[in-house]
């Protein structure tokens, strides 16, 4: 499994960087729990029952985005 698509964090725009951050977060979950059935079983627990789980997802994406933004010189 390729954990960094294209083996680069460089993107043309902040919007592309945000999309990459989401992709990296999803790939991390998939690498951590490679069983599709288990991930599907767990999804309702964080999606419907625990708002803290969704907030945690947003925090992971924000951290990934911060890393990507830094790698891109904050698109200056």
């Amino acid at each position: 499994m390729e954990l960094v698509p294209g083996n680069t964090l460089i993107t043309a725009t902040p919007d592309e960087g945000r999309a990459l951050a989401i992709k990296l977060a999803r790939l991390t979950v998939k690498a951590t729990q490679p069983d599709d059935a288990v991930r599907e079983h767990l999804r309702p627990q964080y999606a419907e029952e625990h708002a803290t789980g969704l907030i945690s997802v947003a925090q992971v994406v924000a951290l990934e985005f911060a890393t990507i933004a830094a790698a891109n010189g904050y698109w200056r």
Side-chain angles (χ1 to χ4, degrees):
M1 170 187 329
E2 185 178 47
L3 294 177
V4 178
N7 201 32
T8 185
L9 298 178
I10 304 303
T11 63
T13 65
D15 192 55
E16 287 179 16
R18 181 86 165 129
L20 179 58
I22 292 167
K23 176 102 176 163
L24 291 176
R26 293 184 70 171
L27 287 170
T28 298
V29 169
K30 188 173 183 178
T32 304
Q33 178 46 263
D35 188 318
D36 291 340
V38 172
R39 286 194 316 274
E40 288 297 318
H41 175 73
L42 294 173
R43 184 168 285 147
Q45 292 177 19
Y46 70 79
E48 297 172 10
E49 299 172 17
H50 302 287
T52 55
L54 293 174
I55 292 168
S56 294
V57 169
Q59 290 172 328
V60 169
V61 171
L63 287 169
E64 294 283 14
F65 184 67
T67 302
I68 293 163
N72 284 279
Y74 301 96
W75 294 277
R76 288 188 185 153

PDB file of all heavy atoms in Angstrom, residues 2 7 10 16-17 25 29 31 38-41 45-46 48 53 58-59 68 70 74-76:
ATOM      1  N   GLU A   2       0.611   2.148  -0.905  1.00  0.00           N
ATOM      2  CA  GLU A   2       1.345   3.403  -0.984  1.00  0.00           C
ATOM      3  C   GLU A   2       0.746   4.366   0.045  1.00  0.00           C
ATOM      4  O   GLU A   2      -0.404   4.784  -0.074  1.00  0.00           O
ATOM      5  CB  GLU A   2       1.225   3.976  -2.401  1.00  0.00           C
ATOM      6  CG  GLU A   2       2.041   5.210  -2.626  1.00  0.00           C
ATOM      7  CD  GLU A   2       1.936   5.719  -4.052  1.00  0.00           C
ATOM      8  OE1 GLU A   2       0.807   5.812  -4.566  1.00  0.00           O
ATOM      9  OE2 GLU A   2       2.975   6.004  -4.632  1.00  0.00           O
ATOM     10  N   ASN A   7       4.346   9.617  -3.633  1.00  0.00           N
ATOM     11  CA  ASN A   7       5.547   9.788  -2.810  1.00  0.00           C
ATOM     12  C   ASN A   7       5.950  11.259  -2.667  1.00  0.00           C
ATOM     13  O   ASN A   7       7.129  11.596  -2.618  1.00  0.00           O
ATOM     14  CB  ASN A   7       6.711   8.963  -3.363  1.00  0.00           C
ATOM     15  CG  ASN A   7       7.759   8.716  -2.302  1.00  0.00           C
ATOM     16  OD1 ASN A   7       7.453   8.608  -1.123  1.00  0.00           O
ATOM     17  ND2 ASN A   7       9.003   8.632  -2.716  1.00  0.00           N
ATOM     18  N   ILE A  10       3.940  17.606  -2.079  1.00  0.00           N
ATOM     19  CA  ILE A  10       3.839  18.840  -2.844  1.00  0.00           C
ATOM     20  C   ILE A  10       2.522  18.857  -3.627  1.00  0.00           C
ATOM     21  O   ILE A  10       2.200  17.915  -4.353  1.00  0.00           O
ATOM     22  CB  ILE A  10       5.043  18.998  -3.798  1.00  0.00           C
ATOM     23  CG1 ILE A  10       6.361  18.935  -3.013  1.00  0.00           C
ATOM     24  CG2 ILE A  10       4.938  20.291  -4.603  1.00  0.00           C
ATOM     25  CD1 ILE A  10       6.491  19.949  -1.898  1.00  0.00           C
ATOM     26  N   GLU A  16      -5.878  21.313  -2.971  1.00  0.00           N
ATOM     27  CA  GLU A  16      -5.281  19.999  -3.249  1.00  0.00           C
ATOM     28  C   GLU A  16      -4.564  19.465  -2.010  1.00  0.00           C
ATOM     29  O   GLU A  16      -4.584  18.264  -1.750  1.00  0.00           O
ATOM     30  CB  GLU A  16      -4.306  20.096  -4.422  1.00  0.00           C
ATOM     31  CG  GLU A  16      -4.971  20.269  -5.758  1.00  0.00           C
ATOM     32  CD  GLU A  16      -3.960  20.384  -6.888  1.00  0.00           C
ATOM     33  OE1 GLU A  16      -2.770  20.028  -6.699  1.00  0.00           O
ATOM     34  OE2 GLU A  16      -4.361  20.828  -7.978  1.00  0.00           O
ATOM     35  N   GLY A  17      -3.954  20.358  -1.244  1.00  0.00           N
ATOM     36  CA  GLY A  17      -3.295  19.951   0.000  1.00  0.00           C
ATOM     37  C   GLY A  17      -4.280  19.405   1.010  1.00  0.00           C
ATOM     38  O   GLY A  17      -4.018  18.411   1.687  1.00  0.00           O
ATOM     39  N   ALA A  25      -5.002  10.681   5.968  1.00  0.00           N
ATOM     40  CA  ALA A  25      -5.678  10.228   7.183  1.00  0.00           C
ATOM     41  C   ALA A  25      -6.413   8.915   6.931  1.00  0.00           C
ATOM     42  O   ALA A  25      -6.361   7.987   7.747  1.00  0.00           O
ATOM     43  CB  ALA A  25      -6.641  11.306   7.682  1.00  0.00           C
ATOM     44  N   VAL A  29      -5.724   5.053   8.599  1.00  0.00           N
ATOM     45  CA  VAL A  29      -6.722   4.161   9.196  1.00  0.00           C
ATOM     46  C   VAL A  29      -6.676   2.797   8.526  1.00  0.00           C
ATOM     47  O   VAL A  29      -6.675   1.753   9.192  1.00  0.00           O
ATOM     48  CB  VAL A  29      -8.138   4.776   9.102  1.00  0.00           C
ATOM     49  CG1 VAL A  29      -9.206   3.755   9.475  1.00  0.00           C
ATOM     50  CG2 VAL A  29      -8.227   6.006   9.983  1.00  0.00           C
ATOM     51  N   ALA A  31      -4.171   1.396   6.957  1.00  0.00           N
ATOM     52  CA  ALA A  31      -2.933   0.695   7.300  1.00  0.00           C
ATOM     53  C   ALA A  31      -2.993   0.141   8.721  1.00  0.00           C
ATOM     54  O   ALA A  31      -2.485  -0.946   8.999  1.00  0.00           O
ATOM     55  CB  ALA A  31      -1.740   1.628   7.161  1.00  0.00           C
ATOM     56  N   VAL A  38     -13.918  -5.109   9.467  1.00  0.00           N
ATOM     57  CA  VAL A  38     -13.762  -4.536  10.808  1.00  0.00           C
ATOM     58  C   VAL A  38     -13.953  -3.026  10.751  1.00  0.00           C
ATOM     59  O   VAL A  38     -14.651  -2.441  11.588  1.00  0.00           O
ATOM     60  CB  VAL A  38     -12.387  -4.897  11.415  1.00  0.00           C
ATOM     61  CG1 VAL A  38     -12.145  -4.136  12.717  1.00  0.00           C
ATOM     62  CG2 VAL A  38     -12.292  -6.394  11.653  1.00  0.00           C
ATOM     63  N   ARG A  39     -13.369  -2.372   9.732  1.00  0.00           N
ATOM     64  CA  ARG A  39     -13.551  -0.917   9.604  1.00  0.00           C
ATOM     65  C   ARG A  39     -15.022  -0.570   9.411  1.00  0.00           C
ATOM     66  O   ARG A  39     -15.517   0.385  10.010  1.00  0.00           O
ATOM     67  CB  ARG A  39     -12.716  -0.359   8.446  1.00  0.00           C
ATOM     68  CG  ARG A  39     -11.237  -0.285   8.748  1.00  0.00           C
ATOM     69  CD  ARG A  39     -10.480   0.566   7.748  1.00  0.00           C
ATOM     70  NE  ARG A  39     -10.823   0.361   6.360  1.00  0.00           N
ATOM     71  CZ  ARG A  39     -10.285  -0.569   5.564  1.00  0.00           C
ATOM     72  NH1 ARG A  39      -9.356  -1.382   6.025  1.00  0.00           N
ATOM     73  NH2 ARG A  39     -10.658  -0.669   4.299  1.00  0.00           N
ATOM     74  N   GLU A  40     -15.717  -1.326   8.587  1.00  0.00           N
ATOM     75  CA  GLU A  40     -17.145  -1.080   8.369  1.00  0.00           C
ATOM     76  C   GLU A  40     -17.937  -1.281   9.657  1.00  0.00           C
ATOM     77  O   GLU A  40     -18.876  -0.534   9.938  1.00  0.00           O
ATOM     78  CB  GLU A  40     -17.693  -1.982   7.263  1.00  0.00           C
ATOM     79  CG  GLU A  40     -17.235  -1.591   5.876  1.00  0.00           C
ATOM     80  CD  GLU A  40     -17.719  -0.211   5.465  1.00  0.00           C
ATOM     81  OE1 GLU A  40     -18.878   0.144   5.723  1.00  0.00           O
ATOM     82  OE2 GLU A  40     -16.905   0.533   4.882  1.00  0.00           O
ATOM     83  N   HIS A  41     -17.559  -2.277  10.436  1.00  0.00           N
ATOM     84  CA  HIS A  41     -18.227  -2.552  11.716  1.00  0.00           C
ATOM     85  C   HIS A  41     -18.009  -1.403  12.707  1.00  0.00           C
ATOM     86  O   HIS A  41     -18.929  -1.041  13.454  1.00  0.00           O
ATOM     87  CB  HIS A  41     -17.715  -3.871  12.310  1.00  0.00           C
ATOM     88  CG  HIS A  41     -18.248  -4.164  13.672  1.00  0.00           C
ATOM     89  ND1 HIS A  41     -19.550  -4.565  13.885  1.00  0.00           N
ATOM     90  CD2 HIS A  41     -17.668  -4.084  14.883  1.00  0.00           C
ATOM     91  CE1 HIS A  41     -19.743  -4.727  15.177  1.00  0.00           C
ATOM     92  NE2 HIS A  41     -18.611  -4.442  15.813  1.00  0.00           N
ATOM     93  N   GLN A  45     -19.897   3.349  15.135  1.00  0.00           N
ATOM     94  CA  GLN A  45     -19.571   3.726  16.514  1.00  0.00           C
ATOM     95  C   GLN A  45     -19.016   5.136  16.589  1.00  0.00           C
ATOM     96  O   GLN A  45     -19.340   5.890  17.502  1.00  0.00           O
ATOM     97  CB  GLN A  45     -18.579   2.734  17.114  1.00  0.00           C
ATOM     98  CG  GLN A  45     -19.176   1.357  17.328  1.00  0.00           C
ATOM     99  CD  GLN A  45     -18.155   0.371  17.858  1.00  0.00           C
ATOM    100  OE1 GLN A  45     -17.119   0.750  18.388  1.00  0.00           O
ATOM    101  NE2 GLN A  45     -18.446  -0.908  17.721  1.00  0.00           N
ATOM    102  N   TYR A  46     -18.162   5.507  15.642  1.00  0.00           N
ATOM    103  CA  TYR A  46     -17.631   6.866  15.703  1.00  0.00           C
ATOM    104  C   TYR A  46     -18.474   7.853  14.902  1.00  0.00           C
ATOM    105  O   TYR A  46     -18.479   9.044  15.182  1.00  0.00           O
ATOM    106  CB  TYR A  46     -16.151   6.932  15.300  1.00  0.00           C
ATOM    107  CG  TYR A  46     -15.840   6.700  13.847  1.00  0.00           C
ATOM    108  CD1 TYR A  46     -16.012   7.682  12.896  1.00  0.00           C
ATOM    109  CD2 TYR A  46     -15.343   5.473  13.423  1.00  0.00           C
ATOM    110  CE1 TYR A  46     -15.709   7.467  11.570  1.00  0.00           C
ATOM    111  CE2 TYR A  46     -15.033   5.249  12.092  1.00  0.00           C
ATOM    112  CZ  TYR A  46     -15.227   6.255  11.172  1.00  0.00           C
ATOM    113  OH  TYR A  46     -14.926   6.035   9.857  1.00  0.00           O
ATOM    114  N   GLU A  48     -21.928   7.786  14.472  1.00  0.00           N
ATOM    115  CA  GLU A  48     -23.261   8.048  14.987  1.00  0.00           C
ATOM    116  C   GLU A  48     -23.319   8.187  16.498  1.00  0.00           C
ATOM    117  O   GLU A  48     -24.173   8.886  17.022  1.00  0.00           O
ATOM    118  CB  GLU A  48     -24.202   6.925  14.548  1.00  0.00           C
ATOM    119  CG  GLU A  48     -24.354   6.850  13.045  1.00  0.00           C
ATOM    120  CD  GLU A  48     -25.119   5.624  12.596  1.00  0.00           C
ATOM    121  OE1 GLU A  48     -25.699   4.924  13.443  1.00  0.00           O
ATOM    122  OE2 GLU A  48     -25.125   5.360  11.390  1.00  0.00           O
ATOM    123  N   GLY A  53     -15.224  11.027  18.383  1.00  0.00           N
ATOM    124  CA  GLY A  53     -14.533  10.285  17.326  1.00  0.00           C
ATOM    125  C   GLY A  53     -14.412  11.115  16.063  1.00  0.00           C
ATOM    126  O   GLY A  53     -13.366  11.142  15.415  1.00  0.00           O
ATOM    127  N   ALA A  58     -11.099  14.944  12.563  1.00  0.00           N
ATOM    128  CA  ALA A  58     -10.791  16.296  12.095  1.00  0.00           C
ATOM    129  C   ALA A  58      -9.416  16.740  12.586  1.00  0.00           C
ATOM    130  O   ALA A  58      -8.677  17.408  11.848  1.00  0.00           O
ATOM    131  CB  ALA A  58     -11.867  17.269  12.573  1.00  0.00           C
ATOM    132  N   GLN A  59      -9.042  16.364  13.793  1.00  0.00           N
ATOM    133  CA  GLN A  59      -7.728  16.723  14.324  1.00  0.00           C
ATOM    134  C   GLN A  59      -6.609  16.045  13.538  1.00  0.00           C
ATOM    135  O   GLN A  59      -5.584  16.678  13.249  1.00  0.00           O
ATOM    136  CB  GLN A  59      -7.625  16.356  15.799  1.00  0.00           C
ATOM    137  CG  GLN A  59      -8.479  17.234  16.685  1.00  0.00           C
ATOM    138  CD  GLN A  59      -8.530  16.741  18.114  1.00  0.00           C
ATOM    139  OE1 GLN A  59      -8.463  15.540  18.381  1.00  0.00           O
ATOM    140  NE2 GLN A  59      -8.658  17.673  19.040  1.00  0.00           N
ATOM    141  N   ILE A  68       1.558  19.171   5.309  1.00  0.00           N
ATOM    142  CA  ILE A  68       1.551  19.404   3.859  1.00  0.00           C
ATOM    143  C   ILE A  68       1.757  20.887   3.563  1.00  0.00           C
ATOM    144  O   ILE A  68       2.522  21.250   2.666  1.00  0.00           O
ATOM    145  CB  ILE A  68       0.248  18.867   3.241  1.00  0.00           C
ATOM    146  CG1 ILE A  68       0.215  17.336   3.351  1.00  0.00           C
ATOM    147  CG2 ILE A  68       0.080  19.325   1.795  1.00  0.00           C
ATOM    148  CD1 ILE A  68      -1.152  16.729   3.154  1.00  0.00           C
ATOM    149  N   ALA A  70       3.345  23.091   5.358  1.00  0.00           N
ATOM    150  CA  ALA A  70       4.748  23.412   5.605  1.00  0.00           C
ATOM    151  C   ALA A  70       5.634  22.918   4.459  1.00  0.00           C
ATOM    152  O   ALA A  70       6.533  23.635   4.004  1.00  0.00           O
ATOM    153  CB  ALA A  70       5.201  22.802   6.931  1.00  0.00           C
ATOM    154  N   TYR A  74       3.681  26.919   2.554  1.00  0.00           N
ATOM    155  CA  TYR A  74       2.397  27.587   2.787  1.00  0.00           C
ATOM    156  C   TYR A  74       1.875  28.250   1.506  1.00  0.00           C
ATOM    157  O   TYR A  74       1.190  29.256   1.542  1.00  0.00           O
ATOM    158  CB  TYR A  74       2.508  28.567   3.956  1.00  0.00           C
ATOM    159  CG  TYR A  74       2.938  27.859   5.215  1.00  0.00           C
ATOM    160  CD1 TYR A  74       4.280  27.847   5.591  1.00  0.00           C
ATOM    161  CD2 TYR A  74       2.033  27.142   5.989  1.00  0.00           C
ATOM    162  CE1 TYR A  74       4.695  27.166   6.722  1.00  0.00           C
ATOM    163  CE2 TYR A  74       2.435  26.454   7.122  1.00  0.00           C
ATOM    164  CZ  TYR A  74       3.774  26.458   7.475  1.00  0.00           C
ATOM    165  OH  TYR A  74       4.182  25.769   8.583  1.00  0.00           O
ATOM    166  N   TRP A  75       2.243  27.684   0.357  1.00  0.00           N
ATOM    167  CA  TRP A  75       1.796  28.104  -0.972  1.00  0.00           C
ATOM    168  C   TRP A  75       2.115  29.573  -1.258  1.00  0.00           C
ATOM    169  O   TRP A  75       1.407  30.255  -1.960  1.00  0.00           O
ATOM    170  CB  TRP A  75       0.312  27.800  -1.180  1.00  0.00           C
ATOM    171  CG  TRP A  75       0.064  26.341  -1.201  1.00  0.00           C
ATOM    172  CD1 TRP A  75       0.214  25.507  -2.272  1.00  0.00           C
ATOM    173  CD2 TRP A  75      -0.354  25.510  -0.109  1.00  0.00           C
ATOM    174  NE1 TRP A  75      -0.061  24.214  -1.907  1.00  0.00           N
ATOM    175  CE2 TRP A  75      -0.415  24.189  -0.572  1.00  0.00           C
ATOM    176  CE3 TRP A  75      -0.651  25.748   1.226  1.00  0.00           C
ATOM    177  CZ2 TRP A  75      -0.780  23.131   0.229  1.00  0.00           C
ATOM    178  CZ3 TRP A  75      -1.019  24.688   2.029  1.00  0.00           C
ATOM    179  CH2 TRP A  75      -1.073  23.392   1.524  1.00  0.00           C
ATOM    180  N   ARG A  76       3.257  30.006  -0.763  1.00  0.00           N
ATOM    181  CA  ARG A  76       3.706  31.389  -1.049  1.00  0.00           C
ATOM    182  C   ARG A  76       4.441  31.439  -2.348  1.00  0.00           C
ATOM    183  O   ARG A  76       5.113  30.598  -2.773  1.00  0.00           O
ATOM    184  CB  ARG A  76       4.616  31.884   0.066  1.00  0.00           C
ATOM    185  CG  ARG A  76       3.820  32.151   1.302  1.00  0.00           C
ATOM    186  CD  ARG A  76       4.672  32.825   2.344  1.00  0.00           C
ATOM    187  NE  ARG A  76       3.846  32.932   3.540  1.00  0.00           N
ATOM    188  CZ  ARG A  76       4.340  32.977   4.746  1.00  0.00           C
ATOM    189  NH1 ARG A  76       5.626  32.935   4.947  1.00  0.00           N
ATOM    190  NH2 ARG A  76       3.546  33.086   5.764  1.00  0.00           N
TER     191      ARG A  76
END
